[in-house]
């Protein structure tokens, strides 16, 4: 990369992104996202927190097996058992990194860890040394660095670098910092830590004040050479710095930044759609880079200007981030090969002929109802195939809904519940309400409906609707998705998907709420 520094992109969609309530992903979903990140040339993929649960362990292991073009990272608290578990999960990786952390802010050390600062340094050093027994690529994070004392941070960083940390990551865990202040912190740390030249300085910013991207960019201008980020800015609470915004800001303003990432930015839209389809977290229309309006010029003056010369109102080209004008890619007569090829171009490889056949059968059904099939339809279809599993407790057999002016809508639902076909009829305020009531009569999940949202996948009245249903049971929150040209059927599918997720018991530790 000429005489410019390399900016390492560390994606944590599969770990911090997954910590958004309801955004949990299955192992196969994680593998699909990881493959898309690899195609985009993301340098490091944080695939999960292996000690958190057996599911997390297996997901990290599966990503480590499936991806060889990016370094695969596993998170571990500064505890031997966490680090060994991460090392074990990462064994199949062509290139593995262990990311270990312990909190360093006065409030976290006193209230959460109940440890003295000296003990924290000791434990951090021990953790890094332990991680080095598994891999020579070790990252250390002083959690809540954004509220830690600078002198103490310098001491911790010097000690962990001496112990073998190759990347030191400075997290603004609670999103408290302002850009000028955070940039200054990074500059000071690099200047004052005596062995700072032996490690890459990284940043990890949360978006509680909407400043995650601004803080990350300010850090880069002050010497950070790794940014941790997530697709669509997904993440704990208000999220993490959004990968697409960081990467495009640096790429677009090469007159300001002394570095660049090696990312293939034309893959950004594919990744964005994949993540929102899998998690059910819709992208707001005016979101920078990936929102549907990001490159749309509504006002006459803007349209006129853009037609005369694109640069009048556009600072980036839509196609450089993977926006293609809605393209009719396939139709009723398209064959299996064309279907497989287009999906491969969009980042999906089928694991088996059976999977391909299942998705192709769905494609044919859809093409019967909808004459023009767009890329977005194909992606929704693949997401849908992944939503159903043979082991599902509940499956939709049939649904009939009736509504008429002046009459109460009615839904007749047939479900397959735990091996038995069951039928219920319910009325409701609308067709969707009636359908959801009928599902509840049959499954009695005891859940609360937290969110119901519908978006159209493409334009036109024959477009598929994509529905997200968020259900809550005690402390657990899950998102279910469904897509169909019939919005009531899409809604029922989404509700059933959420029920199937919530009935699966899952014991899962949270990295930032654990014992140490
Ligand atoms: O926000 C945070 O501090 C984290 C650490 C584990 C890096 O996610
Ligand atoms: Zn975080």
């Amino acid at each position: 990369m000429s005489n410019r520094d390399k900016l390492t992109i560390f994606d944590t969609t599969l770990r911090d992104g997954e910590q958004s309530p309801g955004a949990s992903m299955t192992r196969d979903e994680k593998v699909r996202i990881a493959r898309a990140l690899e195609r985009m040339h993301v340098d490091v993929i944080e695939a999960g927190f292996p000690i958190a649960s057996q599911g997390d362990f297996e997901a990290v292991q599966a990503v480590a097996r499936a991806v060889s073009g990016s370094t695969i990272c596993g998170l571990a608290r500064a505890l031997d058992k966490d680090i060994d578990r991460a090392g074990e999960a990462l064994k199949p990786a062509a290139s593995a990194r262990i990311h270990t952390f312990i909190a360093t802010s006065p409030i976290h050390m006193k209230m959460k860890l109940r440890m003295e600062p000296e003990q924290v340094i000791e434990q951090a050093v021990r953790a890094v040394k332990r991680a080095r027994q598994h891999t020579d690529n070790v990252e250390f994070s002083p959690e809540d660095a954004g509220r830690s004392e600078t002198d103490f941070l310098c001491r911790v960083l010097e000690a962990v670098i001496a112990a073998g940390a190759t990347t030191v990551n400075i997290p603004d865990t609670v999103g408290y910092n302002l850009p000028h202040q955070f940039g200054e912190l990074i500059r000071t740390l690099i200047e004052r830590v005596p062995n700072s030249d032996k490690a890459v300085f990284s940043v990890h910013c949360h978006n509680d004040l909407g400043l995650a991207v601004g803080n990350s960019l300010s850090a880069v201008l002050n010497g950070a050479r790794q940014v941790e980020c997530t697709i669509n800015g997904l993440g704990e609470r208000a999220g993490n710095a959004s990968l697409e915004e960081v990467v495009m800001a640096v790429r677009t303003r090469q007159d300001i930044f002394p570095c660049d990432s090696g990312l293939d930015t034309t893959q950004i839209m594919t990744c964005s759609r994949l993540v929102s389809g899998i998690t059910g977290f819709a992208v707001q229309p005016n979101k920078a880079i990936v929102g549907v309006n990001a490159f749309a010029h509504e006002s006459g003056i803007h349209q006129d200007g853009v037609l005369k010369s694109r640069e009048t109102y556009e600072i980036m080209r839509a196609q450089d981030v993977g926006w293609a004008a809605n393209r009719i890619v396939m139709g009723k007569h398209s064959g299996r090969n064309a279907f497989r090829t287009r999906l491969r171009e969009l980042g999906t490889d089928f694991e088996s002929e059976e999977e391909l056949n299942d998705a192709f059968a769905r494609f044919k059904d859809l093409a019967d109802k909808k004459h023009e099939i767009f890329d977005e339809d194909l992606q929704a279809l693949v997401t849908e195939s992944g939503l159903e599993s043979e082991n599902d407790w509940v499956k939709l057999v049939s649904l009939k809904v009736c509504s008429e002016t002046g009459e109460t809508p009615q839904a007749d639902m047939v479900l397959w519940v735990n091996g038995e076909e069951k039928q219920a009829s319910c009325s409701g305020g609308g067709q969707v309400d009636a359908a959801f009531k009928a599902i509840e009569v049959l499954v009695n999940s005891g859940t609360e409906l937290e969110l119901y949202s519908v978006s159209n996948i493409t334009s036109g009245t024959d477009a598929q609707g994509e529905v997200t249903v968020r259900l809550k049971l005690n402390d657990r929150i899950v998102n279910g998705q469904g897509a169909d040209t019939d919005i009531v059927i899409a809604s029922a599918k989404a509700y059933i998907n959420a029920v199937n997720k919530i009935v699966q018991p899952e014991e899962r530790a949270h990295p930032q709420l654990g014992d140490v």
Side-chain angles (χ1 to χ4, degrees):
M1 193 179 292
S2 65
N3 55 354
R4 294 188 160 263
D5 283 359
K6 157 97 185 195
L7 179 64
T8 297
I9 299 298
F10 176 115
D11 180 278
T12 184
T13 308
L14 304 181
R15 198 280 295 171
D16 219 329
E18 207 204 13
Q19 283 170 220
S20 305
S24 65
M25 303 164 209
T26 64
R27 187 191 56 195
D28 293 349
E29 289 167 344
K30 282 194 171 191
V31 169
R32 278 178 62 204
I33 293 175
R35 286 208 174 112
L37 295 172
E38 178 190 30
R39 258 188 309 273
M40 190 158 61
H41 303 162
V42 159
D43 302 284
V44 186
I45 299 172
E46 189 166 52
F49 177 39
I51 194 89
S53 67
Q54 182 62 19
D56 264 47
F57 177 86
E58 285 169 13
V60 174
Q61 203 175 38
V63 170
R65 274 198 196 107
V67 171
S68 58
S70 307
T71 295
I72 306 305
C73 178
L75 183 70
R77 291 166 300 184
L79 298 172
D80 290 357
K81 60 176 181 181
D82 281 37
I83 293 163
D84 294 347
R85 194 81 175 133
E88 186 64 30
L90 290 166
K91 263 192 185 147
S95 164
R97 175 182 291 188
I98 293 179
H99 176 191
T100 184
F101 72 98
I102 188 165
T104 51
S105 63
I107 180 165
H108 275 228
M109 289 191 290
K110 185 160 180 242
M111 308 305 292
K112 185 178 91 167
L113 302 179
R114 297 183 200 286
M115 283 169 76
E116 291 302 320
E118 294 313 314
Q119 291 174 298
V120 168
I121 298 189
E122 213 174 282
Q123 192 158 326
V125 166
R126 180 189 159 92
V128 168
K129 287 188 176 158
R130 182 93 180 184
R132 284 292 303 238
Q133 291 172 10
H134 295 276
T135 167
D136 55 11
N137 190 342
V138 173
E139 172 168 330
F140 173 80
S141 290
E143 190 194 359
D144 204 17
R147 291 188 301 169
S148 300
E149 285 163 5
T150 307
D151 286 350
F152 183 58
L153 268 185
C154 288
R155 287 184 53 216
V156 175
L157 296 181
E158 182 181 355
V160 294
I161 294 171
T166 43
T167 299
V168 286
N169 175 49
I170 311 302
D172 185 19
T173 303
V174 292
Y176 178 67
N177 279 246
L178 303 180
H180 71 284
Q181 177 194 14
F182 196 61
E184 186 56 39
L185 173 66
I186 300 303
R187 182 200 297 273
T188 308
L189 294 175
I190 294 175
E191 274 169 12
R192 287 190 35 203
V193 172
N195 49 2
S196 63
D197 60 322
K198 303 278 185 306
V200 173
F201 274 66
S202 165
V203 288
H204 173 113
C205 299
H206 278 270
N207 206 28
D208 300 67
L209 293 172
L211 294 169
V213 170
N215 284 338
S216 305
L217 295 176
S218 173
V220 172
L221 288 173
N222 283 283
R225 288 294 176 266
Q226 174 178 287
V227 174
E228 302 200 353
C229 42
T230 57
I231 300 291
N232 300 337
L234 198 69
E236 186 94 43
R237 305 182 311 278
N240 289 61
S242 126
L243 176 146
E244 56 279 5
E245 292 178 24
V246 169
V247 166
M248 288 315 290
V250 172
R251 182 70 51 89
T252 306
R253 298 307 307 269
Q254 284 289 288
D255 54 329
I256 302 286
F257 289 95
C259 54
D260 196 7
S261 72
L263 256 57
D264 173 2
T265 60
T266 62
Q267 297 296 317
I268 284 178
M269 279 312 303
T270 302
C271 286
S272 168
R273 287 198 191 109
L274 188 62
V275 169
S276 78
I278 285 176
T279 59
F281 278 55
V283 172
Q284 76 195 53
N286 58 333
K287 161 92 174 60
I289 320 290
V290 293
V292 280
N293 290 348
F295 292 88
H297 295 275
E298 188 69 29
S299 93
I301 299 174
H302 285 206
Q303 282 176 356
D304 182 53
V306 169
L307 287 176
K308 286 179 180 140
S309 165
R310 189 185 58 79
E311 284 83 9
T312 48
Y313 287 100
E314 275 185 11
I315 57 166
M316 296 166 275
R317 294 188 321 164
Q319 58 267 44
D320 290 346
V321 298
W323 278 105
N326 265 358
R327 268 205 304 144
I328 303 166
V329 287
M330 307 196 85
K332 207 178 158 119
H333 302 293
S334 307
R336 225 161 139 270
N337 238 343
F339 175 74
R340 188 210 303 251
T341 307
R342 185 63 198 146
L343 274 165
R344 194 169 281 155
E345 284 162 10
L346 292 173
T348 299
D349 268 323
F350 293 100
E351 305 245 298
S352 62
E353 284 298 300
E354 209 184 330
E355 249 185 39
L356 167 66
N357 291 343
D358 175 60
F360 188 62
R362 286 168 193 266
F363 162 70
K364 284 287 177 186
D365 278 352
L366 180 63
D368 276 339
K369 295 187 235 161
K370 188 174 187 287
H371 298 301
E372 299 168 336
I373 308 281
F374 299 93
D375 283 344
E376 291 84 344
D377 291 312
L378 293 182
Q379 272 166 328
L381 200 130
V382 174
T383 302
E384 268 252 295
S385 306
L387 292 176
E388 288 168 18
S389 126
E390 273 186 13
N391 308 326
D392 281 348
W393 184 59
V394 189
K395 289 179 184 166
L396 176 63
V397 177
S398 69
L399 168 60
K400 183 174 154 197
V401 280
C402 292
S403 63
E404 195 181 334
T405 340
E407 297 293 328
T408 309
Q410 169 93 15
D412 298 328
M413 178 80 66
V414 181
L415 295 183
W416 187 90
V417 185
N418 211 9
E420 217 185 303
E421 200 164 287
K422 294 185 171 181
Q423 193 272 333
S425 300
C426 283
S427 52
Q431 293 183 345
V432 172
D433 187 42
F436 284 6
K437 283 185 174 139
I439 297 174
E440 265 313 309
V441 164
L442 296 175
V443 303
N444 197 13
S445 72
T447 54
E448 283 166 53
L449 179 66
E450 291 257 300
L451 173 116
Y452 170 71
S453 89
V454 185
S455 57
N456 47 329
I457 293 177
T458 55
S459 53
T461 47
D462 69 346
Q464 290 195 86
E466 194 168 39
V467 175
T468 299
V469 164
R470 185 173 299 163
L471 296 181
K472 184 171 180 213
L473 183 65
N474 307 321
D475 289 344
R476 276 193 76 201
I477 297 176
V478 297
N479 279 329
Q481 287 88 44
D484 202 283
T485 47
D486 182 319
I487 216 65
V488 188
I489 295 178
S491 304
K493 285 180 179 173
Y495 197 101
I496 290 168
N497 179 235
V499 168
N500 279 322
K501 283 187 177 170
I502 215 154
V503 292
Q504 288 163 14
E506 190 191 33
E507 276 312 314
R508 199 157 194 223
H510 185 291
Q512 274 130 341
L513 302 176
D515 39 359
V516 174

